[in-house]
Structures are given as structure tokens and as C-alpha cells.
Amino acid sequence: MGKSSLKETSFAMNMNSVHSRETVCVFGTGDFGRSLGNKMFQCGYSVVFGSRNPELSGLHPKGIEVLSYKEAAQRSDLIIIAIHREHYNFLIELAEELQGKILVDISNNLKINQYPESNAEYLAELVPGAKIVKAFNTISAWALQSGTLDASRQAFVCGDDKESKQRVMDIGRTIGLTPMDQGSLKAAKEIENYPLQLFPMWKFPLYLSAALCVFYFVYCLLREVIYPYIQEEKDNTFFLAISIPNRIFPGLALNLLALVYLPGIIAAILQLYRGTKYSRFPNWLDHWMLCRKQLGLVALAFAFLHVMYTLVIPIRHYVRWKWSSRIINQVTAERQSRVSECLMLGSLK
Ligand SMILES: NC(=O)C1=CN([C@@H]2O[C@H](COP(=O)(O)OP(=O)(O)OC[C@H]3O[C@@H](n4cnc5c(N)ncnc54)[C@H](OP(=O)(O)O)[C@@H]3O)[C@@H](O)[C@H]2O)C=CC1
Ligand SMILES: [Fe+3]
């Protein structure tokens, strides 16, 4: 190891020990406040909780203090507000204690765009003298408690004061998260909507495949059912159940597969055209690239359906063959019995 890297390591360790002595205050001893506070305590921070009933909130590891909100606020210049937005009002009374402090808003809402302004901006309005940072709202209390942060390490952070944001991001890194700077406090609304968006990357692939499915179905319906009926009065409606879907599915699977590869090619052409691979793609291409896995999975689902339908078709043919051979057998048996009857009658005469 070189001298410079040794220096860097010892610098990092010094920084760590600085963080480990830092006192962080957490307002609210609910699920999230408790989980985050305990996690920070495990990672070496000194943690003080603010609570309405400090004497009632037990079950904290030794070394963690639970005080009234006012007392706790005086113990640290960084306060994590682990309280629902609806109960923020009492913070107005603490404006003096919170003056110039970093307030970390971690709250979520129950609905997308539930309020006109984000919770973080609302907090900034209530406590104008504080520096507000939005962070950690996409991390669940359960993940913090159980340590299963693998799937959700990303912690989106935003705020107007760079230094405050940096301190919050340092805390995130120390407790094992991957902080992602999302810019100013204006980004808070978007960050607050993240946990409420169900399968955001699935919307486009599902809508697209539904639209393609309807398009192909109408096309096959016109070509194979309606047109023969008008021209020759042929009734092909039985195609609707198996034949037409089985023609649509492989086509759809191939089209979707093409859509998985196409954005990569467009992106490569764009990079060649721009002469650099370090500029941002247009939003539509970015979104399309991010949906490739989902598009591929939908394509796979259609290919699977095609396999299932293809397996069903021989069974259908077999049933038809079995019925017709039974009828033929019956007819020949009947004819033979008639012939033998006639022969009998002839011999009697
Ligand atoms: N639970 C989770 O997984 C996540 C939660 N969040 C956010 O964290 C915040 C807290 O959530 P969570 O810990 O689950 O909620 P809880 O209901 O478990 O805790 C909320 C805490 O707020 C405090 N509080 C202060 N004033 C009031 C009041 N007037 N009425 C009721 N409680 C009050 C209470 O602490 P005390 O009794 O000590 O005063 C209470 O324990 C919310 O904004 C939520 O959106 C964000 C990400 C994940
Ligand atoms: Fe096929």
C-alpha cells in the first residue's frame, strides 16, 4: 500500500471517529424513529430521542437517552423528524430551539400528491429558521431493524443547504445506505412519491403490450373472421378461441423482443452522433432503456402462452379425430350389419 493511500485510510478512520462521536437527535419514538435511532447508535453515533412521554418510551438500548422534544432539540444541531406530517404543528412552538438546525424530513404520505406542497417544504414553512433536508423516506423501518438493506440501499436526499445535505448523506453512508443526491428541496415532492409508485417500470411495457395485443387481435378478426363471412358467408368464429390468439402471441413476443434491443441500438447511434458517451440520453430513451428487463419478461410470457396454445392444438385435433373415427366406425358397422341382413334375407328367399 502506498504512502498516500495509507494517509487516505487514516484520514477516513479519523472522519469515522468524528462521526461516531456526533450526537444525532431523533424526534418521535415510533417504528421508524426507533429503528433509525438504534441503527445510528449501533454505527457509533450518540443518539438522543425526543418524545411526548419520555418516561413511557422504554425498550431502548443502554446509552440512548429519551428526553422531551424541547430538551432533546438542545442536544444536537441535527434532528431527524420521525413523525407523521399531520403532527408537525407542535414544531412551531420549538422554533427557537430549532433555529439554524438541520431538520431531516423522512415522512411519507398515503397518496400520491396528497398535499399541494411536499412534506419537507411544509416543514420549511413551519420552521423557517431551520435547514431542511429530505432523506431516508424510501427506507423501511423493517429493513433497518432486520438489516436486510440489500434490496433498498438507495436513500434519496435533497435540500437547499449543501453542507447540511452532506452531513445527512454521511450518516446514510455510515449506516450502510447509498445516498443519492437529488438536488434542491424542490425534488422532495418527487422523492415522497417514490414509495407510493407501484411497479413504476412495469407501466409502459404492460400498456404497450396491451395496445399491441388489441391491434393484432382486431387485424386477425377482420382478416380471418369478418372478411370470409362477408365474402363467402363462412363462419370462422371458432378461430377466436385458439387459432387467432396462437397467431398473436408469437408475433407479440418477437415484437417485444425487438423493442428490448432497439433502444440499445438507438443509444449507440446517438452516442456516435454526439461523439461522447457521457451526455444524458433524452428522457424517453432513458425510460425505454430502463424498461428493457420488463419488456423482455412480458415477451417471455407471450412466448410461454404460445407454447401452451401450441400444445393444446394437437389435443384438439386428436379429439376431433377420435370423434370422427368413432362416427366412421359406427357408420361402417351399421352398413355391414345391413349388408349381412340383406344377405340373410336373400339366402332365405
Ligand atoms: N414505518 C416505516 O417503515 C416508515 C415510516 N416513514 C415515516 O416516518 C414517520 C414516522 O412513521 P412511524 O414511525 O411508522 O409512525 P409511528 O406512528 O410509529 O410513530 C410516530 C411518532 O410520532 C410521534 N408523535 C409526535 N406527535 C404526535 C402526535 N400528535 N400524535 C401521534 N404521534 C406523535 C410519536 O412519538 P412519541 O410518542 O415519542 O412522541 C409517535 O411514536 C412518518 O412520517 C412516516 O411516513 C418513512 C419511511 C418508512
Ligand atoms: Fe411457433
Side-chain angles (χ1 to χ4, degrees):
M1 200 188 276
K3 247 185 182 177
S4 64
S5 59
L6 263 174
K7 255 186 194 168
E8 270 168 29
T9 321
S10 64
F11 176 69
M13 280 168 73
N14 278 342
M15 287 301 286
N16 250 351
S17 58
V18 168
H19 289 312
S20 57
R21 274 183 269 117
E22 195 179 329
T23 302
V24 180
C25 172
V26 180
F27 272 13
T29 55
D31 283 346
F32 195 76
R34 204 176 276 258
S35 311
L36 189 63
N38 290 354
K39 185 82 191 171
M40 288 190 296
F41 183 70
Q42 282 168 9
C43 294
Y45 285 95
S46 166
V47 177
V48 180
F49 276 102
S51 172
R52 286 167 302 173
N53 308 300
E55 61 290 344
L56 294 181
S57 46
L59 285 176
H60 284 290
K62 250 189 175 175
I64 292 188
E65 276 182 278
V66 187
L67 307 169
S68 70
Y69 284 118
K70 197 170 180 170
E71 284 169 328
Q74 288 158 358
R75 297 284 286 273
S76 172
D77 62 341
L78 196 149
I79 303 165
I80 294 171
I81 313 289
I83 297 168
H84 290 278
R85 173 195 167 122
E86 293 72 25
H87 309 308
Y88 279 2
N89 273 340
F90 79 95
L91 295 169
I92 300 173
E93 294 155 27
L94 297 176
E96 207 178 301
E97 281 78 16
L98 302 178
Q99 184 72 27
K101 301 208 166 170
I102 303 169
L103 301 190
V104 187
D105 182 296
I106 48 90
S107 63
N108 282 319
N109 292 321
L110 296 175
K111 277 188 266 165
I112 288 186
N113 297 329
Q114 190 174 349
Y115 297 101
E117 76 290 272
S118 68
N119 298 349
E121 285 165 313
Y122 173 63
L123 182 61
E125 274 171 31
L126 290 182
V127 195
K131 299 167 203 159
I132 313 295
V133 177
K134 179 89 206 175
F136 308 138
N137 66 310
T138 51
I139 311 294
S140 76
W142 178 82
L144 283 169
Q145 272 171 30
S146 60
T148 46
L149 285 164
D150 306 352
S152 54
R153 270 178 197 281
Q154 285 185 338
F156 301 98
V157 182
C158 75
D160 292 335
D161 185 64
K162 266 192 180 170
E163 215 173 292
S164 316
K165 200 160 55 175
Q166 203 51 52
R167 275 187 66 189
V168 176
M169 283 168 73
D170 283 346
I171 294 180
R173 251 175 247 120
T174 313
I175 62 172
L177 303 173
T178 312
M180 315 274 283
D181 190 346
Q182 298 295 100
S184 74
L185 207 62
K186 286 201 185 89
K189 202 169 175 93
E190 201 183 333
I191 298 179
E192 283 169 17
N193 283 339
Y194 286 158
L196 298 166
Q197 286 164 352
L198 273 180
F199 311 117
M201 288 301 149
W202 280 94
K203 250 186 204 160
F204 171 67
L206 290 179
Y207 284 150
L208 182 76
S209 39
L212 281 174
C213 214
V214 170
F215 172 76
Y216 281 127
F217 186 79
V218 171
Y219 175 72
C220 290
L221 186 75
L222 286 172
R223 225 184 96 128
E224 288 171 39
V225 180
I226 297 177
Y227 183 73
Y229 183 74
I230 294 171
Q231 283 295 101
E232 304 160 39
E233 293 219 347
K234 243 181 164 180
D235 182 11
N236 283 349
T237 41
F238 60 91
F239 280 171
L240 287 174
I242 292 185
S243 304
I244 290 182
N246 200 34
R247 192 155 311 162
I248 292 172
F249 293 149
L252 264 175
L254 288 172
N255 281 358
L256 291 173
L257 202 63
L259 290 174
V260 170
Y261 287 102
L262 194 61
I265 297 166
I266 297 175
I269 294 171
L270 205 68
Q271 283 175 344
L272 283 175
Y273 175 74
R274 288 175 173 175
T276 172
K277 61 176 186 175
Y278 296 110
S279 66
R280 227 186 116 86
F281 294 128
N283 274 348
W284 60 269
L285 186 58
D286 211 32
H287 191 68
W288 190 358
M289 300 260 280
L290 290 172
C291 291
R292 283 181 298 179
K293 188 171 75 187
Q294 287 77 0
L295 278 168
L297 286 172
V298 180
L300 189 70
F302 279 118
F304 179 72
L305 279 175
H306 174 51
V307 171
M308 297 310 288
Y309 270 66
T310 310
L311 289 175
V312 164
I313 287 173
I315 299 173
R316 202 176 58 161
H317 284 309
Y318 171 72
V319 172
R320 201 189 285 168
W321 170 80
K322 211 173 165 188
W323 274 105
S324 43
S325 65
R326 192 183 283 178
I327 293 165
I328 291 166
N329 282 346
Q330 272 181 359
V331 171
T332 26
E334 205 161 298
R335 194 196 268 170
Q336 262 175 2
S337 70
R338 277 217 189 134
V339 169
S340 48
E341 252 176 50
C342 287
L343 284 175
M344 288 258 286
L345 281 173
S347 64
L348 280 176
K349 277 181 186 172

